[in-house]
Amino acid sequence: MNQSLPSPGISPFQAEHSPRDEAPQFVLPLVVRIERNAPPARTDALETAARAVLVLLGDERAHGDGEWAQAVRNWEDARIRKVVRRARGAEWRRAEALPGITVAGESAEVRVFPPVPLDGWPKDLAKLQVSGTELDDPEPPAGAGPARPVLWLNPELEMSAGKAMAQAGHGAQLAWWALPDAERTAWRDAGFALAVRTADPADWPRLTGSGLPVVRDAGFTEIAPGSCTVVADHPALRRPGPLSRIPGARG
């Protein structure tokens, strides 16, 4: 699969200024459906957003000569920004009419769109609210199981649901980039199965030092630049040892 990747040794999430910041800035829009009387569960929304990013990255339109490929390359050539907005009712129907992909979870629906210029959002997306998206889990999420990819959230950070959805998407993308083609294909064939969980505080130092992909936020919103937000723990990326037996997590 011919996917464009960022230059070796350069993190798209680095906090410091780099020459890449001089390039035109693009953003990946995601819209979560939040109906007034039927909001999705928080964990399901995070997992669905992460899967939506992977579905777009694995779509034929996003690479090679596909219709979204140039936009994806433009986006990957600078900071990899993702912005999550919310919609309901007619707003959601208008969003669904735009080119993109809707991914459904157990209770969540997220639509991902090809990257757009930072100051060039489609009108029907630009008017959607971006801040203050708060969701709850009706009960703590179950354990993820050792064979399922897990996006571990930093237990020391407080993030809105929208911010956490974007961070989960970053983590999924880093895992995708790190995997060989055969593992990418297997993950795609499995429907990009994954879990998002908050790490146990005792495990967080071990996770961030494990060699697994780590998201370091650029600090545009909510949290300090350089904060480690997510560790992408895909079984194919684990080194032999205790990481394959992480004992606990909390939702």
Side-chain angles (χ1 to χ4, degrees), residues 189-200:
D189 291 347
F192 294 117
L194 55 82
V196 178
R197 299 290 185 270
T198 300
D200 188 291

Side-chain angles (χ1 to χ4, degrees), residues 113-200:
F113 303 86
V116 298
L118 191 60
D119 57 355
W121 284 66
K123 180 180 65 175
D124 286 329
L125 299 184
K127 64 178 65 173
L128 299 177
Q129 299 237 356
V130 62
S131 62
T133 300
E134 294 299 342
L135 300 169
D136 295 310
D137 282 315
E139 56 187 49
R148 183 177 289 263
V150 182
L151 305 173
W152 296 103
L153 300 177
N154 186 335
E156 299 177 354
L157 293 178
E158 294 291 334
M159 294 184 283
S160 68
K163 178 72 172 181
M165 290 169 69
Q167 298 300 303
H170 292 337
Q173 186 168 3
L174 290 188
W176 173 259
W177 281 344
L179 289 171
D181 283 349
E183 296 293 347
R184 288 184 182 180
T185 298
W187 201 10
R188 184 180 59 193
D189 291 347
F192 294 117
L194 55 82
V196 178
R197 299 290 185 270
T198 300
D200 188 291

